Amino acid sequence: MKAVLESFRVAWWTAVLVVGFGLGRRDRVRAARLLRRYLLRMGPLYIKAGQVLGTQSGLLPRQVTEQFREFFAQLPPMPDAALEKVLRRALGRPPEEVFDSFERTPVAAGSVAQVHRAVLDGRAVAVKVVKAGVRGRLEAGSAVIGRLAAAAHLLPRLRGYDLSGHFGELRPLLVGQCDLLEEAARQREIGENFRNHPFVRVPWVHEQSYGPDLLIMEYVDGVPGDRVESVALGRPELAARLQDAFYCMVYFHGVFHVDPHPGNIIFGTDGRVTLIDFGLVGRLSEDDKWDLASFYYACMRGEWELAARRFTRAFAVHPEAVLGQVSYEEQLGEVLRRHFEEESSRWSTLAFLDDAIRLLGRHGTRITTTFSVLALSLLTGEGFISAVDPEIDLWATTRRFTGRFSPYLNEDLREAFRAEIAERSPRTAALREEAARHLVAPTHFDRFVLPSPFPLAVAGARGSRLRDLDGNEYVDLSGGYGPHILGYAHPAVVTAIQEAAARGAVNAIGNPEEVELAALISGAFGTNHKAVLSNSGTEAVQIALRIARAYTGRQRVAKFEGHYHGYSDQGLVSSWFRYRGEAEAPEPVGNCAGMQQSVVDSTLVLQYGEAASLRRIEEHGETLACVIVEPMPSALGDFDADFLRELARVCAAHGVLVVHDEVVTGFRVHYGGVQHLAGVRPDLTCLGKIIGGGLPAGAVVGRAELVDTVRTSGDPFRDVDSRAFAGGTMSGNSVTSAAGAAALRELRDHPEIYLRLRERTAWLVADLAAQAADCGVPCAVRGRDSIFSIAFDHSAPHRVRDRLAGLDVTATLALAYHMRRYGVFLPELHTMLLSAAHSDGDLEQVSVAFGKSMRDMLSTGFFDAHQNSGGIE
């Protein structure tokens, strides 16, 4: 019945609007007044359109947009009697019995709710109340719009736009905006995302809930979003901060404000940005964020055909219907080129969307609902930004924002460092050119996905220092990515290598060195343990997983998102930087071309440290051979002992083996590894790096009955049926084994090494963090037990996917090259490592170099939101 009445109301007032337009003179301001009155009469869904129009000062005359300013927060409030009824129903008693004081006159009134100032337990709070009757109006209005969209589908010219299906997907978002319980959850989530941001904040939400019609939160006093002239910060800087806030939500958090108009922004007089009203919030999946970033990256490089394909795959409902159509791809490429090149200084999301939507419609498809919601957010937000700074070049500032998080230096920065490094290290540059003719080196010269523009080439290394081909000396913080815990060229290791080589460098034949190394490894993990040797950590993981499958008779493997287990297909699933699915229940995804899809699809992906992962193991326990985990994930820099113990308990209850990947942490954080510090014993442990003393090595160590799975039974038929094969011509060769045994004996006999590393790491982490804080730079320095990392990011989320999302990659790269100026080699995009060879003087040099590098970067405006990130003057 409500929908029928709403239909008559829509028809009546639409007719009145049409007549008003027809009888009056052609005047934009008069037309805007008529439209404003019409939208007010039509209710909440239509008022949203007026709020969007009110931000479009770049497209519409200011006299027109001003007609809609009252839509931001000055709409008529509900009558006092209706307010009293809503409050009593939500609170269960009069507001005077709950609050110290409550102001009946609202401080703001929107289309769905109004906000009152109150005092609760001595603190000023804002009380948001859903207007009486709004929920019914939203439902009735959406029903009418749905019917109109269905009717429009009958018209051939509109059929390709699928308006009915499109609105059907949008409807839950629009109707659900009046549920303040859901809004409170969204506000808490976004508040956590911005918790440590230098200039963006979200009001805290009161812990007590009063139902879907009332929300209590922190009261924020400040400058309303439409009065920017009262803010001390300049308009360009303020606009850049707004853009930074909006883009952080979209590109990093994947949870964004759909309605960022001036009524939902409060400025501090100093330029701090407070976001309010989370009734409409959009979400991007990990795939959405990946697709959006890849699309914009192609646009930044001017690769229009590629950008057209990426746009279609990401934002078209049925991409397969148009991909491969030459005419379509050429037309879309031209649309992109025109807007991103010719129209870039006058960028308009509305104009771009209009052209793209028309083109998709002509080819029988439409944009996705997710992209529609994102486009609405960008349209409103960019309109507001342009109103704050009418001179802003939106596309140029977008390029600068995305450039901070691209794994590539911008051209200005690249050229500045190229000139400087070429002058300091010409022989290194020449070697790289020579290498390009003969060698592909994915770890350094040709690093996968995260290329190094200026890799180091070393002539020699000793102790804690490297010397490049041009004689420049550096304090080294890479440690060869892990092996050199004693420092380079440690005398005991060098002697062991020389003597083993002189004895013939035996391989594929039994030798005492491999037996000694295996005994040292096994002894570090407990009685009744054995080891099988390999040539790398990747091989160790492959052997451990094969043992688990053979021993349990099950095929499936579970791993944790963001954990790297070598370059095998299994080890790369959902590793490093590519993620998919909901955060609590990730979906497996490959990280490179050529991976075997069946391996990817069969992997169960979990989240480290979360109870939901334990429940998923219980659900899939009967199919799982093992769970492999980095007990101390390199991206997090610490371990969760309680979680590791609970993981072991749950897996044991379901006959699932636990495999610890301690290729990095084994014998580095403790003699043996993290498991000794955490007080937990896995079934199998994968090792590498340190156990080779600087030479290629790997091992699997575990209970004898498990490791014996790769030992022959003496019966070839039984071997094939029940044993796991582990090969390797160079596995356990005498030179590597001698070097590894020498390193382990040194660590075993000098336990004070670990104490010193722990103390020095703690000092360095605290020192660097303090220096960054003094500089006002958002920088997280984390680490313990010789392992640490530096990340330029305002947030500190606990999931790997979130930690990597907002990382200022350009700043990380630039820091590495600045530090080289002061004699410190920092691995550009990798965990940093200390060794026993680092002296107090070395750490002091690192500290001084970091401070100077921070000041260098600050002096060029590197961390200013409105400046060209990474620019060098």
Side-chain angles (χ1 to χ4, degrees), residues 741-769:
L744 295 190
R745 285 195 302 270
E746 193 74 17
L747 293 170
R748 181 199 61 191
D749 296 343
H750 297 281
E752 68 275 10
I753 289 175
Y754 291 106
L755 177 61
R756 285 201 304 268
L757 286 172
R758 184 171 299 122
E759 292 172 344
R760 286 175 171 169
T761 306
W763 179 88
L764 190 59
V765 166
D767 178 79
L768 301 187

Short mmCIF file of all heavy atoms in Angstrom, two decimals, residues 741-769:
data_model
loop_
_atom_site.label_atom_id
_atom_site.label_comp_id
_atom_site.label_asym_id
_atom_site.label_seq_id
_atom_site.Cartn_x
_atom_site.Cartn_y
_atom_site.Cartn_z
N ALA A 741 77.76 -26.40 9.78
CA ALA A 741 78.12 -26.93 11.10
C ALA A 741 79.00 -25.95 11.86
O ALA A 741 78.84 -25.78 13.08
CB ALA A 741 78.83 -28.28 10.93
N ALA A 742 79.90 -25.28 11.16
CA ALA A 742 80.76 -24.29 11.82
C ALA A 742 79.93 -23.14 12.38
O ALA A 742 80.16 -22.67 13.51
CB ALA A 742 81.80 -23.77 10.84
N ALA A 743 78.94 -22.66 11.59
CA ALA A 743 78.09 -21.56 12.05
C ALA A 743 77.26 -21.99 13.25
O ALA A 743 77.15 -21.25 14.25
CB ALA A 743 77.18 -21.10 10.91
N LEU A 744 76.69 -23.19 13.22
CA LEU A 744 75.84 -23.64 14.32
C LEU A 744 76.66 -23.89 15.59
O LEU A 744 76.19 -23.60 16.70
CB LEU A 744 75.08 -24.91 13.93
CG LEU A 744 74.04 -24.77 12.80
CD1 LEU A 744 73.20 -26.03 12.69
CD2 LEU A 744 73.16 -23.55 12.99
N ARG A 745 77.86 -24.40 15.44
CA ARG A 745 78.71 -24.59 16.63
C ARG A 745 79.01 -23.24 17.28
O ARG A 745 79.00 -23.11 18.52
CB ARG A 745 80.01 -25.30 16.26
CG ARG A 745 79.86 -26.79 16.00
CD ARG A 745 81.24 -27.48 16.00
NE ARG A 745 82.15 -26.91 15.01
CZ ARG A 745 82.27 -27.32 13.75
NH1 ARG A 745 81.54 -28.35 13.32
NH2 ARG A 745 83.14 -26.76 12.93
N GLU A 746 79.28 -22.24 16.46
CA GLU A 746 79.58 -20.90 16.99
C GLU A 746 78.37 -20.36 17.76
O GLU A 746 78.53 -19.79 18.85
CB GLU A 746 79.95 -19.97 15.83
CG GLU A 746 80.57 -18.66 16.25
CD GLU A 746 82.01 -18.81 16.73
OE1 GLU A 746 82.63 -19.85 16.45
OE2 GLU A 746 82.51 -17.88 17.38
N LEU A 747 77.18 -20.54 17.22
CA LEU A 747 75.97 -20.05 17.88
C LEU A 747 75.66 -20.86 19.14
O LEU A 747 75.24 -20.30 20.17
CB LEU A 747 74.78 -20.12 16.91
CG LEU A 747 74.85 -19.17 15.71
CD1 LEU A 747 73.77 -19.51 14.69
CD2 LEU A 747 74.71 -17.71 16.15
N ARG A 748 75.88 -22.16 19.07
CA ARG A 748 75.63 -23.03 20.24
C ARG A 748 76.56 -22.71 21.38
O ARG A 748 76.14 -22.64 22.55
CB ARG A 748 75.78 -24.49 19.83
CG ARG A 748 75.53 -25.51 20.94
CD ARG A 748 76.13 -26.86 20.58
NE ARG A 748 77.59 -26.78 20.40
CZ ARG A 748 78.34 -27.76 19.89
NH1 ARG A 748 77.77 -28.89 19.50
NH2 ARG A 748 79.66 -27.62 19.76
N ASP A 749 77.81 -22.47 21.05
CA ASP A 749 78.82 -22.28 22.09
C ASP A 749 78.88 -20.85 22.61
O ASP A 749 79.56 -20.58 23.61
CB ASP A 749 80.21 -22.66 21.54
CG ASP A 749 80.28 -24.14 21.17
OD1 ASP A 749 79.41 -24.90 21.64
OD2 ASP A 749 81.18 -24.50 20.38
N HIS A 750 78.17 -19.93 21.96
CA HIS A 750 78.19 -18.52 22.39
C HIS A 750 76.75 -17.99 22.48
O HIS A 750 76.33 -17.15 21.67
CB HIS A 750 79.01 -17.67 21.42
CG HIS A 750 80.44 -18.07 21.34
ND1 HIS A 750 81.37 -17.70 22.29
CD2 HIS A 750 81.11 -18.84 20.44
CE1 HIS A 750 82.56 -18.21 21.98
NE2 HIS A 750 82.43 -18.91 20.87
N PRO A 751 75.96 -18.45 23.42
CA PRO A 751 74.56 -18.02 23.54
C PRO A 751 74.41 -16.52 23.79
O PRO A 751 73.33 -15.96 23.56
CB PRO A 751 74.03 -18.84 24.73
CG PRO A 751 75.26 -19.24 25.50
CD PRO A 751 76.33 -19.41 24.48
N GLU A 752 75.51 -15.89 24.25
CA GLU A 752 75.43 -14.43 24.48
C GLU A 752 75.18 -13.67 23.18
O GLU A 752 74.76 -12.50 23.20
CB GLU A 752 76.71 -13.94 25.16
CG GLU A 752 77.97 -14.00 24.30
CD GLU A 752 78.67 -15.36 24.32
OE1 GLU A 752 78.07 -16.33 24.85
OE2 GLU A 752 79.80 -15.44 23.80
N ILE A 753 75.45 -14.31 22.04
CA ILE A 753 75.18 -13.65 20.74
C ILE A 753 73.71 -13.26 20.66
O ILE A 753 73.37 -12.15 20.24
CB ILE A 753 75.56 -14.59 19.58
CG1 ILE A 753 77.07 -14.72 19.48
CG2 ILE A 753 74.96 -14.10 18.26
CD1 ILE A 753 77.53 -15.73 18.43
N TYR A 754 72.83 -14.16 21.07
CA TYR A 754 71.39 -13.89 20.97
C TYR A 754 70.97 -12.77 21.91
O TYR A 754 70.11 -11.94 21.55
CB TYR A 754 70.60 -15.16 21.25
CG TYR A 754 70.76 -16.20 20.17
CD1 TYR A 754 71.53 -17.34 20.37
CD2 TYR A 754 70.14 -16.04 18.93
CE1 TYR A 754 71.68 -18.29 19.38
CE2 TYR A 754 70.29 -16.99 17.93
CZ TYR A 754 71.07 -18.11 18.15
OH TYR A 754 71.22 -19.04 17.16
N LEU A 755 71.56 -12.71 23.09
CA LEU A 755 71.23 -11.64 24.03
C LEU A 755 71.64 -10.29 23.45
O LEU A 755 70.88 -9.31 23.51
CB LEU A 755 71.92 -11.89 25.37
CG LEU A 755 71.72 -10.80 26.43
CD1 LEU A 755 70.24 -10.66 26.77
CD2 LEU A 755 72.53 -11.13 27.69
N ARG A 756 72.85 -10.22 22.89
CA ARG A 756 73.31 -8.95 22.31
C ARG A 756 72.43 -8.54 21.14
O ARG A 756 72.09 -7.36 20.99
CB ARG A 756 74.77 -9.08 21.87
CG ARG A 756 75.79 -9.08 23.00
CD ARG A 756 77.17 -8.68 22.49
NE ARG A 756 77.62 -9.54 21.40
CZ ARG A 756 78.35 -10.64 21.57
NH1 ARG A 756 78.68 -11.03 22.80
NH2 ARG A 756 78.74 -11.36 20.53
N LEU A 757 72.08 -9.49 20.28
CA LEU A 757 71.23 -9.16 19.14
C LEU A 757 69.86 -8.65 19.61
O LEU A 757 69.32 -7.70 19.03
CB LEU A 757 71.05 -10.39 18.25
CG LEU A 757 72.26 -10.77 17.39
CD1 LEU A 757 72.01 -12.10 16.69
CD2 LEU A 757 72.54 -9.68 16.34
N ARG A 758 69.33 -9.27 20.65
CA ARG A 758 68.03 -8.84 21.17
C ARG A 758 68.12 -7.41 21.69
O ARG A 758 67.27 -6.55 21.39
CB ARG A 758 67.57 -9.79 22.27
CG ARG A 758 66.19 -9.50 22.82
CD ARG A 758 65.72 -10.62 23.76
NE ARG A 758 65.64 -11.87 23.03
CZ ARG A 758 66.31 -12.97 23.35
NH1 ARG A 758 67.13 -12.98 24.39
NH2 ARG A 758 66.17 -14.08 22.65
N GLU A 759 69.16 -7.12 22.44
CA GLU A 759 69.31 -5.78 23.03
C GLU A 759 69.55 -4.73 21.95
O GLU A 759 68.97 -3.63 21.99
CB GLU A 759 70.47 -5.78 24.03
CG GLU A 759 70.18 -6.61 25.29
CD GLU A 759 71.41 -6.75 26.17
OE1 GLU A 759 72.54 -6.46 25.67
OE2 GLU A 759 71.26 -7.16 27.34
N ARG A 760 70.39 -5.05 20.98
CA ARG A 760 70.71 -4.06 19.95
C ARG A 760 69.53 -3.81 19.03
O ARG A 760 69.31 -2.68 18.58
CB ARG A 760 71.93 -4.53 19.16
CG ARG A 760 73.23 -4.36 19.96
CD ARG A 760 74.43 -4.90 19.26
NE ARG A 760 75.65 -4.52 19.96
CZ ARG A 760 76.84 -5.01 19.72
NH1 ARG A 760 77.00 -5.94 18.78
NH2 ARG A 760 77.90 -4.61 20.40
N THR A 761 68.77 -4.86 18.74
CA THR A 761 67.58 -4.67 17.91
C THR A 761 66.58 -3.78 18.62
O THR A 761 66.00 -2.86 18.01
CB THR A 761 66.92 -6.02 17.58
OG1 THR A 761 67.88 -6.89 17.00
CG2 THR A 761 65.76 -5.83 16.60
N ALA A 762 66.37 -4.02 19.91
CA ALA A 762 65.42 -3.20 20.68
C ALA A 762 65.87 -1.74 20.70
O ALA A 762 65.05 -0.82 20.56
CB ALA A 762 65.29 -3.74 22.10
N TRP A 763 67.18 -1.51 20.87
CA TRP A 763 67.68 -0.13 20.89
C TRP A 763 67.46 0.54 19.54
O TRP A 763 66.99 1.69 19.47
CB TRP A 763 69.18 -0.12 21.23
CG TRP A 763 69.73 1.28 21.24
CD1 TRP A 763 69.75 2.15 22.29
CD2 TRP A 763 70.31 1.98 20.13
NE1 TRP A 763 70.30 3.35 21.92
CE2 TRP A 763 70.66 3.27 20.59
CE3 TRP A 763 70.58 1.66 18.81
CZ2 TRP A 763 71.25 4.23 19.78
CZ3 TRP A 763 71.16 2.60 17.98
CH2 TRP A 763 71.50 3.87 18.46
N LEU A 764 67.79 -0.16 18.47
CA LEU A 764 67.69 0.44 17.15
C LEU A 764 66.24 0.72 16.78
O LEU A 764 65.92 1.79 16.24
CB LEU A 764 68.34 -0.47 16.10
CG LEU A 764 68.52 0.12 14.70
CD1 LEU A 764 69.39 1.37 14.75
CD2 LEU A 764 69.12 -0.91 13.76
N VAL A 765 65.34 -0.21 17.06
CA VAL A 765 63.92 0.00 16.77
C VAL A 765 63.40 1.22 17.51
O VAL A 765 62.71 2.08 16.93
CB VAL A 765 63.11 -1.27 17.14
CG1 VAL A 765 61.61 -0.97 17.16
CG2 VAL A 765 63.40 -2.39 16.16
N ALA A 766 63.71 1.34 18.80
CA ALA A 766 63.24 2.48 19.58
C ALA A 766 63.84 3.77 19.07
O ALA A 766 63.15 4.81 18.98
CB ALA A 766 63.60 2.27 21.06
N ASP A 767 65.12 3.76 18.71
CA ASP A 767 65.80 4.97 18.25
C ASP A 767 65.21 5.47 16.92
O ASP A 767 64.90 6.65 16.77
CB ASP A 767 67.30 4.69 18.08
CG ASP A 767 68.05 5.90 17.55
OD1 ASP A 767 68.34 6.80 18.34
OD2 ASP A 767 68.32 5.93 16.32
N LEU A 768 65.05 4.56 15.97
CA LEU A 768 64.52 4.97 14.67
C LEU A 768 63.08 5.44 14.78
O LEU A 768 62.68 6.42 14.14
CB LEU A 768 64.63 3.82 13.67
CG LEU A 768 66.03 3.27 13.39
CD1 LEU A 768 65.99 2.25 12.25
CD2 LEU A 768 67.02 4.38 13.06
N ALA A 769 62.28 4.75 15.60
CA ALA A 769 60.89 5.16 15.79
C ALA A 769 60.81 6.54 16.41
O ALA A 769 59.98 7.38 16.00
CB ALA A 769 60.15 4.14 16.65
#
